[in-house]
Amino acid sequence: DIQMTQSPSTLSASVGDRVTISCRASQSISAWLAWYQQRPGKAPRLLIYKASSLESGVPSRFSGSGSGTEFTLTISSLQPDDFATYYCQQYNSYPVTFGQGTKLEIK
Amino acid sequence: QVQLVESGGGVVQPGRSLRLSCAASGFTFSSYGIHWVRQAPGKGLEWVAVISYDGSGKKYADSVKGRTTISRDNSKNMVYLEMNSLRAEDTAVYSCAKSDYSHYYFDYWGQGILVTVS
């Protein structure tokens, strides 16, 4: 199975900050990576697919980059709604696997 | 709009069985694969199973393989997850999710249903 490792596990930031979350795959997954946002008690929401493609309706302050084994999710200017947990997911091969999550907290 | 609604959860004793249902609407159901993903309380996301658009292809996570069967009824826009020999570690919120046409990321999710094995 492909292991996905996110860092950091927790991130404290303020409204307006630029933040970056990293995701590393245990083997190359090309660009077959998605990012999700999950607010407490809610279903995950797709933000990014194919490493850098923005899902329809997602604000442009969200962006993704990377390929192979190293990926990043960047939020250019944090908004109050962005404080949530973020997960990466590889879909290069089954079983699809998720990172352990990064909790973005208000500083 | 796309909707996925799970049902069938609840409290079940260890060793017993449970069948979860996922009712889909708002898209051409028979054209898309459907997945189950679970999340134990306070934990991350774990993929459980997938069924292809026509039901001919099925895959399972090792953690549920041999105890779980995924099925679908395209005439009713329904997907089912039958879980047997339930264990305490199966306690989680179970969500069904629609995958993209040709790739296995999840563009729509249900709200999830809690299964407690105790």
Side-chain angles (χ1 to χ4, degrees):
Chain A
D1 299 1
I2 298 174
Q3 307 303 316
M4 306 301 293
T5 304
Q6 289 182 232
S7 61
S9 295
T10 306
L11 180 57
S12 295
S14 302
V15 172
D17 284 353
R18 177 185 179 92
V19 299
T20 298
I21 299 170
S22 297
C23 178
R24 174 177 291 177
S26 61
Q27 64 189 74
S28 178
I29 58 170
S30 185
W32 305 125
L33 184 100
W35 288 98
Y36 301 89
Q37 175 194 66
Q38 188 178 33
R39 299 190 179 103
K42 300 294 186 182
R45 172 196 183 192
L46 176 67
L47 300 175
I48 302 283
Y49 62 95
K50 205 176 178 183
S52 60
S53 297
L54 192 68
E55 173 70 350
S56 176
V58 174
S60 58
R61 64 180 180 273
F62 291 91
S63 63
S65 64
S67 66
T69 62
E70 301 284 343
F71 301 87
T72 59
L73 172 71
T74 300
I75 310 173
S76 60
S77 178
L78 277 173
Q79 299 301 302
D81 273 353
D82 300 338
F83 292 95
T85 300
Y86 293 83
Y87 294 93
C88 61
Q89 176 229 333
Q90 68 80 19
Y91 54 99
N92 179 77
S93 61
Y94 279 111
V96 300
T97 47
F98 294 88
Q100 81 279 15
T102 294
K103 186 174 182 180
L104 182 52
E105 298 180 330
I106 300 174
K107 185 184 287 185
Chain B
Q1 73 281 21
V2 173
Q3 279 198 307
L4 297 163
V5 180
E6 303 89 346
S7 60
V11 180
V12 60
Q13 293 179 330
R16 302 299 290 266
S17 300
L18 195 69
R19 188 177 86 153
L20 302 180
S21 300
C22 171
S25 60
F27 63 102
T28 306
F29 179 74
S30 58
S31 295
Y32 293 92
I34 301 292
H35 301 247
W36 287 93
V37 178
R38 68 184 181 183
Q39 188 168 30
K43 302 297 185 182
L45 301 167
E46 180 190 15
W47 174 81
V48 174
V50 59
I51 188 165
S52 63
Y53 68 99
D54 62 354
S56 64
K58 304 174 186 180
K59 293 185 184 292
Y60 302 93
D62 284 347
S63 57
V64 302
K65 196 176 295 182
R67 305 186 292 125
T68 299
T69 303
I70 190 170
S71 60
R72 68 189 293 160
D73 184 339
N74 283 351
S75 69
K76 296 181 179 178
N77 285 12
M78 296 289 294
V79 172
Y80 306 100
L81 188 74
E82 179 126 19
M83 304 187 69
N84 304 310
S85 304
L86 283 161
R87 308 165 181 167
E89 53 265 36
D90 295 318
T91 294
V93 171
Y94 286 73
S95 299
C96 55
K98 169 187 168 291
S99 59
D100 175 71
Y101 184 74
S102 55
H103 298 290
Y104 315 127
Y105 61 86
F106 312 121
D107 50 7
Y108 291 93
W109 297 66
Q111 274 300 108
I113 192 85
L114 178 62
V115 173
T116 302
V117 183
S118 175

